Structures are given as C-alpha cells and as structure tokens.
Amino acid sequence: MFAAATKSFVKQVGDGGRLVPVPSLSEADKYQPLSLVVKKKRCFLFPRYKFTSTPFTLKDILLGDREISAGISSYQLLNYEDESDVSLYGRRSNHIVNDVGINVTGSDSIAVKASFGVVTKHEVEVSTLLKEITARKINFDHSLIRQSRSSRKAVLCVVMESIRTTRQCSLSVHAGIRGEAMRFHFMDEQNPKGREKAIVFPAHTTIAFSVFELFIYLDGAFDICVTSVSKGGFEREETTTFAMFYRLRNILFERNRRVMDAISRSQLYLDDLFSDFYDKPLSMTDISLKEGTHIRVNLLNHNIPKGPCILCGMGNLKRETVYGCFQCSVDGVKYVRLHAVPCFDIWHKRMK
C-alpha cells in the first residue's frame, strides 16, 4: 500500500527518471542523504534495478575518522494530494495487488488516495562533497565493501537527495467494481470485508530518493558518478590484465611491422643489385671467369644439402640452391650457398 503510493508519486513528479520510490515504510528512515544503498539488476528479463538499503553511511566505509561536512540544503517541493483509479487488468496487475495488500477478489479496479501534503527536498551539496573526498580512500576491510565486491552485479550507491513529508500523512485504498453513477459499486452480498484499508504515518517520512553510483579503484580511491553516462562498480584485477595484454599485443604488432619493413627494403636492395647486374655486359660482371677468382661448385658433390642462398634466400621467399663457394666463409661456416647466376658473381663483386 505504501509502495503503491510512493510509486505513484514518483511517476507523477518524474525528475527525469532519477527518483526512486521508497519500497517499504519500515525502511523509510534508511534513505537519508549520504546513506549507502546497494543497486542490483534483477535479471536480463527485468530492465529495472532493485535498491536495497544498508545501515551504513559514506563515512563508515572510508579510512579515517574525519567526518564528512558537506552541507545539505532543504526546500519545499510541492503540495501533493492524489486520488486515482487503477485497473487490475494488464501486465502490472500482479504488482499492484502485492503493493496494496488488500482483498481484491471480484474487483476490477482499486482507488488509491494519498495525502502527503507539503513535501520537502533535501539534497547534498555535490561540489562540496567532491572536494572533501578527493584524498579519502575506501576501507576494503569493511564488511559492506567485502560483500559488494564479491558480487559482480552489485553496485554501491550513495543517496544524494531525499523527499520527505512535513506532517502526519494518510493513505487509503478501496477495491471494487467501477460503476457509472458513483466511483465504485461495492458488492455487499459478496462480503466486502477486507476491500478497504487505511494507514497513517508520521511526519518526516522519506517517500523517494535519488542516488549517485560509486566506482572504486584497486588502490582504494573512488569516484562519484555524477552523470548517467559514467557507471559505478569495482575495478577488477582482470581489467588490468587485459590492459597489459593489449599493450603487449600492440608492441608485438609494431615490432612485426618494423621487421616486415626491413625485409621489404632488403628485397628492394636485392632487386636493384640484380637489375644492375643484368644491365651490364657479361665481360664486366662475370668475374668468376677471370684468373684468380673463386670457383663455383656443386655442394651436393661434397655431401652438403640444398639450402637458402645467402644473398637472395633470406627474405620472404626462401630461394634455395645447390651451388656455392668453398673459398668464402660466413659465421664460422667454411662455405656459402650462392645461386650460380647471378648471385655468385654479385656476391664476389661486392666482396672484391
């Protein structure tokens, strides 16, 4: 019944969807400014979140004993008197029946009358609060932090504003059948006992509130998410691991790119050498035919297997050859593999 009235109030007042109705009269005093609540998504079928009150305030989960002196401003919001009819048919009917808590058997509608009178709004001075918490850190040993941190669906929130009544208020609910001449036509012959209910609750009762989410870092620092774009929660260890993985991946990609560029430049250099060789007359390039030059040999005849040419076989294409030279040595190997044409002559031309 109280929940039905607060939901109706929030729906009519609006405030851009930031206001949350207080779900229970017994918990109304736990939704005061700077109090902590836990926000948890029910499941993927229900887009709305469930807010659960806690007995703690923001100061309780911070290290140190220094009080939070952020001011709280108050002002009158409106004078609220509401009397409305709600149909029991449709997808919201089950929720309405649970909220009003009366016998609705044989009824098609309920009438809810809420007299809240003048309600006031109490809100934390955000700019002052942000300055105060700049150097403060979260106490990870606090029981609320440990329990919230273990759940991936739970987000800690701090109450930033609350809406309260200023006088004793009354709520009344009637269930019946909608009539033409009067509001409801009660079916007396079907025992209307339990079809009407009224409650009175004291002044200064919180009926709605709004929150800001908290994002807590691994080192204990935290941010208050003052916009709907930023989301609260806990920084996870795997977040840091993934960041390191992506940085390492980018480093490897950059290194691979540099290697490929070097190989490409070497290929261009070899192409220039080959073109330079073929563009010149044979008498100028075939130095192996001259007296005193090194001799081409077939390495297979000396039990040396086929392998990559030392000049053109080190790029992307592993160009292999069975020819080489025994008069040349590289890295302690007493021979080099060289294609008979043109690598053999280009190699010795460079060595000369």
Side-chain angles (χ1 to χ4, degrees), residues 47-342:
R48 293 186 178 181
Y49 291 89
K50 178 182 179 181
F51 292 86
T52 306
S53 63
T54 71
F56 304 107
T57 64
L58 180 60
K59 173 190 172 297
D60 296 331
I61 63 171
L62 299 181
L63 293 173
D65 298 327
R66 183 158 53 93
E67 295 288 340
I68 296 177
S69 59
I72 298 177
S73 58
S74 304
Y75 58 90
Q76 290 186 0
L77 184 62
L78 52 84
N79 190 341
Y80 185 79
E81 303 285 341
D82 179 62
E83 188 171 353
S84 57
D85 297 343
V86 181
S87 174
L88 293 179
Y89 298 108
R91 61 181 181 179
R92 296 183 62 245
S93 60
N94 292 333
H95 298 288
I96 296 173
V97 171
N98 294 331
D99 290 339
V100 298
I102 62 174
N103 179 19
V104 295
T105 304
S107 305
D108 63 359
S109 300
I110 60 172
V112 180
K113 182 178 181 180
S115 178
F116 291 161
V118 177
V119 297
T120 55
K121 186 175 183 179
H122 306 260
E123 57 185 2
V124 180
E125 295 178 359
V126 179
S127 58
T128 306
L129 177 62
L130 293 177
K131 292 179 182 178
E132 283 200 32
I133 65 172
T134 302
R136 304 292 295 271
K137 290 197 174 183
I138 296 293
N139 179 12
F140 284 109
D141 293 330
H142 195 280
S143 59
L144 179 62
I145 298 298
R146 291 201 308 267
Q147 295 171 21
S148 302
R149 196 178 183 184
S150 62
S151 174
R152 292 182 176 272
K153 295 182 179 180
V155 177
L156 274 181
C157 306
V158 58
V159 177
M160 298 300 294
E161 63 180 20
S162 64
I163 296 178
R164 307 177 198 168
T165 61
T166 57
R167 62 170 176 81
Q168 183 174 280
C169 305
S170 62
L171 291 175
S172 58
V173 180
H174 306 273
I177 298 177
R178 194 179 298 273
E180 296 179 357
M182 55 190 302
R183 183 165 194 166
F184 285 118
H185 172 65
F186 288 100
M187 298 180 295
D188 296 333
E189 67 278 6
Q190 294 186 9
N191 186 15
K193 184 178 179 180
R195 296 181 180 278
E196 181 175 351
K197 191 175 183 179
I199 62 171
V200 177
F201 54 90
H204 310 298
T205 300
T206 303
I207 58 177
F209 63 95
S210 68
V211 300
F212 283 164
E213 298 181 8
L214 300 179
F215 185 83
I216 302 174
Y217 296 92
L218 292 174
D219 61 353
F222 68 100
D223 288 333
I224 295 181
C225 304
V226 297
T227 64
S228 58
V229 178
S230 53
K231 300 298 181 181
F234 289 86
E235 184 182 18
R236 304 290 178 180
E237 293 285 352
E238 54 265 30
T239 302
T240 306
T241 304
F242 280 128
M244 293 177 61
F245 168 76
Y246 285 121
R247 285 197 295 269
L248 179 60
R249 186 194 66 172
N250 292 336
I251 292 174
L252 293 176
F253 282 169
E254 178 64 19
R255 183 175 297 176
N256 184 59
R257 185 187 65 80
R258 292 179 180 177
V259 171
M260 296 302 295
D261 289 344
I263 293 174
S264 178
R265 287 193 296 269
S266 65
Q267 289 294 121
L268 292 175
Y269 176 70
L270 289 176
D271 292 342
D272 292 340
L273 285 177
F274 292 156
S275 61
D276 181 67
F277 174 81
Y278 284 115
D279 289 342
K280 293 182 178 181
L282 180 63
S283 60
M284 297 177 60
T285 59
D286 195 3
I287 61 174
S288 62
L289 302 178
K290 298 177 182 179
E291 183 179 359
T293 59
H294 294 197
I295 302 173
R296 299 184 184 92
V297 294
N298 190 328
L299 299 178
L300 295 179
N301 297 332
H302 301 272
N303 297 323
I304 299 175
K306 182 180 180 181
C309 175
I310 194 172
L311 193 61
C312 66
M314 301 302 175
N316 291 333
L317 299 177
K318 300 298 182 181
R319 300 182 179 93
E320 296 182 339
T321 180
V322 298
Y323 293 97
C325 177
F326 278 112
Q327 285 81 18
C328 297
S329 62
V330 176
D331 295 333
V333 181
K334 296 182 179 180
Y335 64 89
V336 293
R337 292 187 178 90
L338 291 164
H339 283 102
V341 178

